[in-house]
Every structure is written in structure tokens, then in C-alpha cells.
Amino acid sequence: MSLAGEFRRRLTMLLRRGRFRRELDEEVYLHLELRCQQQIASGLTSEAAHRSAMRRFGNATRMQEKSRAAWGWNWLETLVQDAGYGVRAMLRTPAITVVALVSLALGIGANTAIFSFLDAVLLRSLPVKDPQQLVMLGAGDMAGITQSFASTGLYSYPFYRQFQSKNAVFSDTAAIFSMTNHVHGLVDERKDTELINVKTVSGTYFQTLGVGAQMRRVLDENDDSGDGDHAVAAISDGFWKRSLGADPAVLHHMLRLGEKVYTIVGVAPAEFFGTTVGEAPDAWVPLSMTDSMPPGWGGHKDNFSESLFIFGRLKPGVSVAQATANVNVLFGQILTGFPEAKLTQENLALLARSHVPLMSMARGLSALRSTYSEPLKILMITVGLVLLIACANIANLLLARSTVRVRELALRQALGAHRMRIVRQLLTESLVLALAGGALGVGLAAVANRVLLQMISNGQDTIPLNVSLNLNLLAFATAVTVLTTLLFGTLPALRATRLDLSASLKSGQSGTAAGGRARVAKALGIGQVALSLVLMMAACLFLRTLNNLSHVDVGFNKENILRLDIDSSALGLQGDDPRAKAMYHEIEDRVSTLPGVETASFSAFTFNEGSFMSSVALPGKAFERNVNVNHNSIGNSFFKVMQIPLVAGRAFGPQDTATSQPVAIIGEGLAKYLFPTGSPIGRTYLIGSPDERTPPDQKLVVGVVKDVKIHGLEGPDLYIDYPPS
């Protein structure tokens, strides 16, 4: 019989075991009856014939057991019986059962919840073809736009095109704009705009990833040719369902992003979220549309406007070491080959020291990974200790419960039950308890995941991170459940079956076993207290850290501040457009007159949003490449709104116009760096970069303000200046 046929037969026997037993009983009875009739025919009395038939036939019960074992799954049937008994035992001791279930639910639920985040942020591979073959140029730990010579993290579009044609180690290469464009666009001819997260990518993006379309097509190389000539977009499954109602006629829909109308060419697969964990673009458009895509970053054709990540798929047989060598040779050749490259001695020395590492893209890019990887690992250890404490607690409860079951267990052994058979039954009871606690824990984890996701998200928008139930999560929860069974069930089971049968049957209590249980209970109690003390100390340190962070002086008053985001690009206005600046000033004036508003202003950036950075220098002095200053363009009343103290000089006023001498207000740290002696008021400095091809901007210092925290609560204050908008 085939393996499949044998499986079906055994499964049928298991499901119909009652019928099989009746038929087996009838068959045994018929055999005995036939032998008995034969003995009677040979001259024996009825009673003697029955004894002879039984003697010659053998042990009928033993034969039935062998038949059931040969025809079905006796071990599974026994497991079901033990599980049923375990459920009844749990119901007989409801107090112990409730305490154990709650302990297990908390322990397993916490471990499952934290593991779901670890899986999503650190472990899960991109949903693309052979993700282990994808590598990225650079570390992927920066984003934005730079013009630094020999940048090994970000690259320009012309660099990407030359690298694409000259490399010898990648079968396909692709480029991604390092930032996501958040555009208030229009779908079709609707009146209301909606926020659309747009990712600009090269035409080879989907091809390199090995991702096709679930409907129509995705972007290809033809879409990325020319400059602003291919206004096409591929949309995500979520956006297709949310904004287009899953209309199969996707080619009939349009997206207005800024001043351009984009034709939708297809829908990406439902499982594809892009290449950055924690992001979920609504649409992908070609990099050739960069200059017209809001907010209008520009620099598409600039050889040194570096804003792209580059990644590729290794050719078969090419190692990472070989690819790294080829990439670094091309890196120097392409940069020095650009006509406007500033090949100064300093830049050439910098290029000689530069090295482009190759990072695996199998798990994608993620700012969450650098931010939360260490906290998640610490939390995983912490909740693991919580589970150990829960297991020790339940083991003590089971040891206590085994005390009242001494007579029962002794009687079973006296009747012939093997010790390991009883141990197996007790472990099955523990498994039933653990499975019930595990099921409750998974339910608790599902709720905790949503709460944790809300806690780490900024504002009302939840980070698009998939922490829902999946096979990895179920496998982890199952493994944890089985492990907890072994942790809290094995020792009580072994201890409960080490009995002095004579003493236990007489008094219902074995002194030896009771003494052993007492020693084990004390050891478990000591372990619980020790682990609990460690967790309590960690919790105290954590609370102390939170308290310290809550009292960090950020340099501004964060109370009663209402922040609104304004997207001028939705009106076709770029940041340097005079009409946009006039609109900001008008909004500032109008909002300031609203009831309940003390004052209002605007700024390019706020706390922890990033900023534009460049080097600064004094006139006649060289720029310091490693010193960067954060620039925040602001309105006239910004310092009044944020209550940032003015240390020296004055704030901006009506005299500071577009035609007057360019001025700026600087932070205390920058004032000490640029002007270590004397007052900085009335002195000038230059804003630029050692590598910029345009003349630096000269600013007159009219004021000095207190330093503020810009990029988080930790770390030192950073240099900052405030040019007026």
C-alpha cells in the first residue's frame, strides 16, 4: 500500500475508532465461540471447552491492543485521552488554572508581541525574487541631498547612469530617491486633494527586484528616458483599493501631482510595500520626473546633486568581495570624469581615503532598524525573563497540586502503570495548560502590537509596519508554548512520580517525595525572587531614564503649541517662489489675529524633522568640511512663538527684506565657534560647502539666541542658524 493510502487508512481508523472496536470485539467473540464449539464437538463439557478455547486463543485484551496499535495511531489516541483528562483536571482546580493561564498569557503574549516587531524590523526579507542576491552601495544610513565630493552614501542620477552601463558585477541595477515625496495630489477630477506618498525610482527598479504587476504593468526602462517626458505611475495595492475602489480599469484613472497629470499604468502586488521597512508608498514614478515632482527638489541632471540610493543584483558566481572591488574602481573613475569635478589636492586625498561598502538589501532599508534594533533586543531579553518567572510560578503551583494527587498516582503505579507513562500524562496536562495560555497570549499579542505600533508612530499616522499574525509568528508562539511546557511541567511530573508506594497508599503522603518537593519549591521561589529583582532594578533604571528625558531642556517651550503642515507644492508653488513666501507671511499675520491665538509664525523645520545642513566659514577663511550647521528658514515671530530667548542683538523686523543685506540669527554654540572672542553682532560669515561650485552666501549676524535640541533629546546641542524667509 502507498504511503498516502496507509495514511488514509490510519486516519479512517482513528476517526471511526468506536466502530472499529465494536467490530474487533465481535471478531474476537466469534473466534472464541468457534473454538469453543470445536472443543464441545470433541467431547468436552461446555465449561471445559470454554477454558480450553480461552487458553489456546491467548489474552484477548492484549490481542485487541496489538490490533489497534497495528491498524491505527495508538499514541495519538492515548494523547487525546490524556488531553481530555487534563482538561477535566484543570476544571477541578479553577483557582490554580486561572492563575496559570493569566501568567502564561502575559509571558507568551509579551514574547510574541516583541518577536513580531523583531521579525518585521530585523528578520523578515523583502517580498521580492531572491532577495539575498541584492546588495546596496553604501550603508544606507543617510537620506536627503548633498553635494559633498566623494559621497559613499548618496549618488547623483548621472553617476547612476554611468555606473549602470560600466559595472561588470551586477545583472541589473536600480536607483531610488532617498526621501519619499509627500504630495497633496488629486485623483482623477476630484475636488479634494489627498496625501499621496510618492517614491521616485529608476525604470529598472521593479525589474531589478524581480517584482511584476498584479494588474497591467509596472514601470520599465522606457518610462525613465528623457527628462519629464513620461508622466506615468504604478500604484500600490492599498492605494488602488482605498482611492480607486479596486477598479480593474486602472488605465482610465489619473493622478495630478503638482502641475503634472500622471497616467496610472498598473498596480503592484499586494504583498509588495517597496524597499524600505516602515514605509508604504502609494505610487512609484520615474526618476526622470524628479524636477517636476513636488516639492521640487530638482537637481536631476546635476552630476553632484547626490540624493539617490543605488542597489543591484549580483551576477551568478560573483562574490561580494569581487563586486566591492569593481564598485570602488568605478567610483573613482566616474567622479573624476565629470567635467565640473573640483580635483583639488584635498578632494583627491579624500577620494583616496573613500571606500564604498556593499550592504545586503535582503531585508531592505529601514530607519526603524537603527532606531529600535537595540531596544527590541533588550525588550526581548526582558520579556524572556518574565516568561521564566511565570514558568517557575506555575511549576510551584503544579508541585503543590501534585501533593493532593499522591494517592492517585501511587495507586496507578501499584496497578501496573509505568512511571514514564504517568510522566507522559502529566506532561500532556501541562501541554494542555500551555496551549490554552498560548492561545490567550497570541490574542493578547495582537492587541499589544497595535498599541506598541501607535506608541512608536509620530502623530496620528501609524507606521505602515506589518506586525500581524503570520507563519513565522505562529511558529515562534508554538515553540515558546512547547518550551514553557518543558520548563514548568517536566520537574513537577518527575517529582510527582517518585513515590514510596507503600507509604503513599497508606497515608496518602510520601515523606521522601514531600521533602523533595519542598526543596524544589524553595529553589524555584529563590529563582523567582532573583529574576524579579533584576527586572525591578531594570524597571527603576528605565523610569529614571524617562524622568531624565522628560526634564531635558530643549531650549523652547513645547506647551500649547499647535503645528500645522502647509504643502505649497499642491498650489504649484516651490519653496523659493516669492509667491510662496508672501503666502507664508500672510498666513502668519492672519492666524495671529484669530481668537485664542497669542502669536503665530512659520518655519521650514520643527523639532526632530531634520534640516538643511551645510558648512560655514568666516570671510577669507577655509570651510571646515567636518563641521555642519543646521539652517532653519523662519518667520519674523518664530522666536516669540517658540519662546526661544534672545541672548544678544535683535529679532527680525520689517527692515529685513529680500532687497536688504542678507541677515541671520545664530545659536549660542555657533556664535562661540565662529566668533570665540568679541561680540558676533554686526559680523558676517559664509554659508556654503568646500565642494560647491556656486559662490557662498554671506550673512550678517543681527542676533544670538539660545541653542535648541533639533534631532532628538539625546546628544549635544548642534550648530544652528536662522535666515529669514
Side-chain angles (χ1 to χ4, degrees):
M1 183 180 293
S2 65
L3 185 62
E6 178 69 13
F7 179 82
R8 285 195 300 271
R9 181 183 64 77
R10 288 181 178 269
L11 184 61
T12 302
M13 296 300 297
L14 179 64
L15 297 176
R16 299 179 179 178
R17 58 184 181 274
R19 175 183 172 185
F20 173 71
R21 286 178 177 178
R22 290 192 300 271
E23 292 177 352
L24 187 60
D25 290 342
E26 292 177 1
E27 186 174 353
V28 170
Y29 176 77
L30 288 175
H31 276 285
L32 286 173
E33 187 65 23
L34 180 60
R35 290 180 181 272
C36 187
Q37 293 296 331
Q38 290 175 347
Q39 296 300 319
I40 291 174
S42 65
L44 294 178
T45 64
S46 176
E47 184 178 350
H50 181 73
R51 287 198 302 270
S52 177
M54 289 289 292
R55 187 169 54 254
R56 298 185 61 183
F57 186 80
N59 190 325
T61 302
R62 182 60 178 163
M63 189 172 294
Q64 288 175 322
E65 290 178 352
K66 288 183 177 180
S67 298
R68 286 196 294 270
W71 283 87
W73 281 308
N74 193 48
W75 62 270
L76 184 57
E77 187 175 349
T78 304
L79 179 64
V80 172
Q81 292 174 350
D82 290 346
Y85 185 83
V87 171
R88 294 193 297 272
M90 289 168 57
L91 296 177
R92 285 197 298 268
T93 54
I96 293 178
T97 301
V98 170
V99 171
L101 287 178
V102 171
S103 301
L104 285 173
L106 291 175
I108 295 176
N111 277 269
T112 305
I114 299 303
F115 177 80
S116 66
F117 278 87
L118 273 174
D119 179 51
V121 175
L122 299 177
L123 305 178
R124 197 177 303 168
S125 296
L126 290 176
V128 300
K129 177 184 176 183
D130 298 328
Q132 67 278 0
Q133 295 179 356
L134 298 173
V135 293
M136 176 184 175
L137 276 64
D141 56 353
M142 60 187 301
I145 303 174
T146 180
Q147 291 188 335
S148 300
F149 187 80
S151 168
T152 60
L154 298 174
Y155 306 89
S156 67
Y157 187 77
F159 179 96
Y160 158 68
R161 281 304 188 187
Q162 289 204 34
F163 179 81
Q164 181 187 31
S165 61
K166 293 179 180 180
N167 90 87
V169 292
F170 298 114
S171 57
D172 290 296
T173 56
I176 322 166
F177 188 61
S178 59
M179 297 182 288
T180 299
N181 297 55
H182 305 291
V183 185
H184 285 85
L186 290 171
V187 178
D188 297 330
E189 299 299 326
R190 299 173 188 173
K191 296 181 180 180
D192 297 329
T193 63
E194 61 178 288
L195 183 62
I196 304 174
N197 298 317
V198 183
K199 202 75 175 177
T200 49
V201 298
S202 66
T204 56
Y205 177 75
F206 290 96
Q207 173 186 323
T208 304
L209 294 173
V211 174
Q214 69 163 305
M215 184 170 295
R216 299 298 180 178
R217 70 174 181 89
V218 289
L219 302 180
D220 58 30
E221 185 72 314
N222 294 327
D223 298 322
D224 197 24
S225 60
D227 184 20
D229 299 332
H230 296 84
V232 296
I235 61 175
S236 69
D237 177 80
F239 183 78
W240 174 54
K241 293 175 179 176
R242 183 178 67 252
S243 296
L244 302 182
D247 184 1
V250 291
L251 299 183
H252 296 163
H253 295 279
M254 303 288 182
L255 296 178
R256 179 178 288 277
L257 306 173
E259 296 180 345
K260 289 282 187 178
V261 176
Y262 290 76
T263 301
I264 298 175
V265 296
V267 182
E271 68 276 5
F272 182 68
F273 57 83
T275 44
T276 302
V277 178
E279 288 187 7
D282 298 314
W284 294 268
V285 302
L287 279 169
S288 60
M289 304 300 299
T290 296
D291 290 346
S292 61
M293 174 63 60
W297 299 110
H300 176 59
K301 291 184 176 181
D302 191 333
N303 291 332
F304 285 95
S305 180
E306 296 147 336
S307 60
L308 306 180
F309 295 131
I310 297 177
F311 69 94
R313 183 176 292 276
L314 292 171
K315 289 182 177 180
V318 175
S319 67
V320 174
Q322 292 172 322
T324 302
N326 181 255
V327 165
N328 279 276
V329 169
L330 287 179
F331 179 71
Q333 291 177 353
I334 295 173
L335 286 182
T336 55
F338 287 134
E340 64 271 43
K342 295 176 64 176
L343 302 180
T344 62
Q345 184 176 359
E346 182 185 5
N347 281 346
L348 289 175
L350 176 64
L351 181 61
R353 296 193 303 269
S354 299
H355 175 75
V356 182
L358 294 189
M359 182 192 77
S360 173
M361 273 279 288
R363 295 180 291 121
L365 303 168
S366 179
L368 297 176
R369 193 170 297 142
S370 59
T371 304
Y372 295 110
S373 59
E374 290 302 320
L376 282 174
K377 291 175 183 176
I378 294 173
L379 278 175
M380 196 74 218
I381 295 173
T382 302
V383 296
L385 291 177
V386 170
L387 184 59
L388 282 176
I389 293 172
C391 289
N393 184 39
I394 298 170
N396 257 332
L397 290 174
L398 294 182
L399 279 171
R401 191 177 71 169
S402 67
T403 303
V404 301
R405 300 181 66 182
V406 167
R407 187 183 294 274
E408 171 200 341
L409 299 177
L411 183 60
R412 291 189 178 195
Q413 291 188 56
L415 292 175
H418 293 289
R419 183 189 177 199
M420 291 313 298
R421 175 65 184 85
I422 297 177
V423 169
R424 189 174 71 182
Q425 178 199 321
L426 295 177
L427 282 177
T428 302
E429 295 177 14
S430 300
L431 179 62
V432 171
L433 186 64
L435 287 174
L440 292 174
V442 170
L444 178 64
V447 176
N449 284 342
R450 291 193 290 270
V451 174
L452 290 173
L453 202 54
Q454 287 286 350
M455 290 176 63
I456 67 173
S457 299
N458 293 322
Q460 296 180 350
D461 296 330
T462 304
I463 295 175
L465 190 67
N466 182 14
V467 291
S468 58
L469 200 63
N470 56 51
L471 290 178
N472 287 345
L473 202 58
L474 285 175
F476 175 82
T478 302
V480 170
T481 300
V482 173
L483 179 62
T484 55
T485 301
L486 297 176
L487 285 175
F488 74 75
T490 303
L491 191 58
L494 293 175
R495 277 291 177 183
T497 54
R498 286 186 60 183
L499 300 172
D500 182 344
L501 296 185
S502 178
S504 299
L505 289 173
K506 289 179 180 179
S507 63
Q509 178 68 39
S510 172
T512 304
R517 279 192 291 272
R519 289 191 294 272
V520 172
K522 289 179 181 178
L524 290 173
I526 292 171
Q528 284 181 266
V529 172
L531 291 177
S532 299
L533 182 61
V534 171
L535 290 181
M536 186 180 68
M537 293 177 64
C540 291
L541 292 174
F542 178 70
L543 290 174
R544 181 179 178 182
T545 301
L546 284 179
N547 181 65
N548 291 339
L549 289 175
S550 66
H551 289 85
V552 169
D553 183 10
V554 295
F556 57 87
N557 187 358
K558 53 185 179 293
E559 300 296 330
N560 301 319
I561 297 291
L562 177 64
R563 192 198 72 172
L564 300 176
D565 290 327
I566 301 175
D567 184 6
S568 61
S569 62
L571 302 175
L573 303 177
Q574 305 301 332
D576 56 354
D577 192 317
R579 295 175 298 169
K581 296 182 179 181
M583 180 185 69
Y584 294 146
H585 284 288
E586 184 175 355
I587 292 175
E588 180 182 43
D589 295 336
R590 290 193 180 187
V591 174
S592 297
T593 61
L594 293 176
V597 177
E598 291 185 5
T599 185
S601 189
F602 61 89
S603 64
F605 307 99
T606 57
F607 176 76
N608 209 30
E609 280 190 337
S611 66
F612 170 68
M613 293 187 297
S614 69
S615 300
V616 297
L618 294 176
K621 301 291 184 179
F623 283 93
E624 179 62 45
R625 184 187 300 272
N626 297 323
V627 177
N628 285 310
V629 176
N630 298 267
H631 310 293
N632 193 6
S633 181
I634 61 173
N636 292 343
S637 301
F638 177 78
F639 298 117
K640 184 178 180 181
V641 172
M642 303 302 294
Q643 297 182 14
I644 300 175
L646 187 67
V647 178
R650 65 173 177 85
F652 298 130
Q655 69 272 31
D656 301 313
T657 64
T659 57
S660 63
Q661 182 179 3
V663 297
I665 296 175
I666 62 177
E668 286 182 296
L670 181 59
K672 293 177 182 178
Y673 169 72
L674 289 175
F675 313 105
T677 59
S679 172
I681 305 301
R683 303 176 69 174
T684 59
Y685 68 100
L686 304 176
I687 297 176
S689 170
D691 307 314
E692 284 189 357
R693 300 174 297 282
T694 58
D697 294 331
Q698 182 169 291
K699 300 290 185 181
L700 175 69
V701 179
V702 297
V704 178
V705 294
K706 183 179 178 180
D707 282 330
V708 299
K709 295 289 185 180
I710 306 170
H711 302 306
L713 298 175
E714 300 177 359
D717 295 335
L718 303 176
Y719 295 148
I720 186 170
D721 68 356
Y722 304 90
S725 177

